[in-house]
Amino acid sequence: RSLLLQVKNTLKTRDNNRRLFNESSTLDISVMANNRYDEKLLRDIRSIVEENIGNSDFCVNDVCMGVGVSRTKLHVKLKSLINMSIGEYIRETRVRKAKEMLLAGHTPIDTAYATGFSDPNYFAKCFKKSTGQLPREFVAQQQAKKNEDTGEK
């Protein structure tokens, strides 16, 4: 009975962390840590990913080397903390940065390359998977919302 409650609580915490991550605009995954070691690990991961956001050759192994953890251990740790793999976290970070750039007026192609995607088509696919919209649709929707808020047509 106690074990069942622990499992339920762990799953609930994972779901809450994933929801918080998806709703957060700051990408601060360190708040999802259970202890100071996890917090440091998550801060280090965030820092490494953000520093390399525009590097299309940046990959999971680079993060592993940067934090000094094996790929398997890092995968297990992130899955338990934020219910995402490191690859998913890198992609989500890139997509969030892309949203900022698109809203700032950058073209989708420039945004794709600036956020580390070497193929604009793959960027569009990842963007749509994350947001439910293609980059141009996202920009159009945000522009329509802005115009609606200001009363313009």
Side-chain angles (χ1 to χ4, degrees), residues 69-87:
V69 176
S70 75
R71 187 181 180 115
T72 304
K73 286 189 181 198
L74 186 61
H75 177 79
V76 169
K77 190 58 147 173
L78 279 182
K79 275 298 210 182
S80 72
L81 291 172
I82 63 171
N83 199 25
M84 287 180 132
S85 70
I86 186 62

Side-chain angles (χ1 to χ4, degrees), residues 4 6 18 28 32 36 41 48 51 57 60 63 66-67 69 73-74 87 89 93-94 114 124 126 132 150:
L4 184 60
Q6 284 180 327
R18 178 113 184 186
D28 188 7
M32 298 173 190
R36 63 184 176 156
L41 175 69
I48 291 167
E51 286 171 12
D57 295 326
V60 173
V63 177
V67 295
V69 176
K73 286 189 181 198
L74 186 61
Y89 176 71
T93 303
R94 286 179 166 163
C126 291
T150 60

Side-chain angles (χ1 to χ4, degrees), residues 21-22 24-25 27 92-100:
F21 176 78
N22 288 332
S24 171
S25 60
L27 290 175
E92 276 301 310
T93 303
R94 286 179 166 163
V95 168
R96 287 182 185 219
K97 179 66 175 173
K99 284 182 184 178
E100 292 174 15

Side-chain angles (χ1 to χ4, degrees), residues 48-50 52-53 55-60 62-63 90 94:
I48 291 167
V49 171
E50 287 175 354
N52 291 283
I53 197 93
N55 179 357
S56 62
D57 295 326
F58 181 69
C59 65
V60 173
D62 296 325
V63 177
I90 292 169
R94 286 179 166 163

Side-chain angles (χ1 to χ4, degrees), residues 83-140:
N83 199 25
M84 287 180 132
S85 70
I86 186 62
E88 290 170 327
Y89 176 71
I90 292 169
R91 263 190 312 281
E92 276 301 310
T93 303
R94 286 179 166 163
V95 168
R96 287 182 185 219
K97 179 66 175 173
K99 284 182 184 178
E100 292 174 15
M101 291 181 70
L102 289 168
L103 292 175
H106 293 84
T107 66
I109 291 176
D110 290 340
T111 300
Y113 292 121
T115 54
F117 290 94
S118 57
D119 178 8
N121 292 325
Y122 180 63
F123 163 69
K125 179 181 174 182
C126 291
F127 194 91
K128 183 167 185 168
K129 183 177 180 184
S130 178
T131 66
Q133 300 173 305
L134 292 170
R136 290 193 191 284
E137 295 169 341
F138 172 77
V139 171

